[in-house]
Amino acid sequence: MTLLGTRNIWKPRPSNKNKSEKDSQILKNQGYISVFLEKVHYQASPHFFQKVFGGKDKVAIMTTTTYKTPGRPDIEAKIVLGSSTVDANVPTTLSKSCLIALNVPTQAEGLELRTTISSIKKDNFERTIDLLSDESFQAPLELDPIGIGKVLTIANMVRKIFTTDEKRAELEGSFAGLISRDSVDNPVENNRLTDGYLIMISNLDKGNDFLNEFDPELLTYTGKELLYDKKKLNLTHIVYSIHFIPAKGENEQAVWAKKYQHALNSLDDLLTAFTRDGQRAVLKKSLEEWKNGNLLLDNDPTYIQAEKQGIKQMKYLEIQKHYKQHVDQTSFINGDTISLAESLLTDGESPVSRGALEQNQEITRNIFIDNQAYAEKLFEQMEDNVKQYQEMLKEAKKQSL
């Protein structure tokens, strides 16, 4: 952070109050990061005339989130949070909570967080700032193609506006959060991203030695106010809430997700597959669609490799489970079944045919075995499986004795 006397402090959220800072460090390829800008509290140092006569400043807040990956261009998202009028030397809270990064994978080298407070000198520039602070321009950093296109467009627009306007006094707080493979002691102090609150405190008054005697243990964040020794802290400070999740789940709108769904839907063809070979052909077709989904998922940069593997395995098991349930619950007609049933349907002196005639059962005769119509008719008339046919044979033998 470029401000004189700035301190970076980590504090756990209430839900993770029992975890240490080291245990909360975010490691490479382990999950996803979301970041909220919780609060910007500003205390301006008045110039000479403001000290004597008082006065006001117009300021605008801009956040910049940069995703850094080795060998690839940085991806940058900028959000303008509007303008405010503040009294000189009066502590003022300038912003409300704003999402600035959403589920970005921990495959990067690091995630840089920067918040800039700019003094506005022209009224027309203030109007431009207010337009840029509309919700439609407040797009958090995302890595899907649509998200990247949107944030880059907005970032270029904001950068151009802020660099072509007249010079302004700027106050900038930044944290270059590295994502390492192994945890370290005091990760925030060593510029490592950590799940919890990242608090940046700055002393703008060169004559104030508060930070020289600062004790982090006396600092608490209530979710609304930053307290030091149970008293409200009025030094300029920025509070980020950094969230880590190990998996974010399936994106049903992704092309690969739709391909997986198509693979499952193709198993509906099992309803008309009357042979074992037919059922296996349906399964093979479904698994080919599953493989196509895998190829698309492999090219999705918004997922870490570990979750990609988990999704592939889950979808494979879903296909196998669906197939097995259908095969176990549905009787099919294979060659053995047809041969067995043939003895029931032809003229002759077999015990089965005599038993059937004695019971006056109406059984279709003289149907060509290889004809598909015959198989369909047979399936309609005899819904039982091979075991039930065998029971019929046993019963017929008993009647012939």
Side-chain angles (χ1 to χ4, degrees), residues 2-64:
T2 59
L3 295 177
L4 180 64
T6 296
R7 291 288 300 271
N8 297 327
I9 302 100
W10 174 84
K11 289 292 175 180
R13 281 189 298 277
S15 58
N16 293 327
K17 62 182 180 180
N18 294 324
K19 293 184 67 176
S20 68
E21 181 177 343
K22 184 176 181 179
D23 292 337
S24 300
Q25 183 180 338
I26 298 172
L27 302 179
K28 189 180 288 289
N29 297 320
Q30 297 299 307
Y32 306 88
I33 306 169
S34 293
V35 183
F36 292 83
L37 179 65
E38 286 275 325
K39 183 181 182 184
V40 177
H41 188 81
Y42 179 61
Q43 180 175 355
S45 296
H47 52 68
F48 173 78
F49 290 101
Q50 288 177 330
K51 288 181 179 179
V52 176
F53 303 106
K56 297 180 181 294
D57 286 328
K58 289 183 178 180
V59 295
I61 301 175
M62 178 180 66
T63 71
T64 303

Side-chain angles (χ1 to χ4, degrees), residues 221-285:
Y221 181 60
T222 66
K224 292 184 178 180
E225 299 293 344
L226 190 63
L227 306 178
Y228 185 78
D229 198 13
K230 300 181 180 180
K231 297 178 182 178
K232 183 177 179 180
L233 183 66
N234 282 322
L235 292 180
T236 295
H237 58 267
I238 300 169
V239 181
Y240 293 99
S241 182
I242 302 175
H243 298 257
F244 169 81
I245 55 174
K248 62 179 179 177
E250 182 181 352
N251 177 11
E252 295 181 354
Q253 302 304 314
V255 177
W256 52 262
K258 295 177 180 178
K259 185 65 71 172
Y260 285 141
Q261 187 58 48
H262 188 267
L264 283 169
N265 292 343
S266 67
L267 293 177
D268 290 344
D269 290 344
L270 289 170
L271 296 172
T272 55
F274 299 114
T275 66
R276 177 69 75 186
D277 289 342
Q279 290 178 341
R280 288 172 177 166
V282 172
L283 177 61
K284 181 179 179 182
K285 177 182 177 183

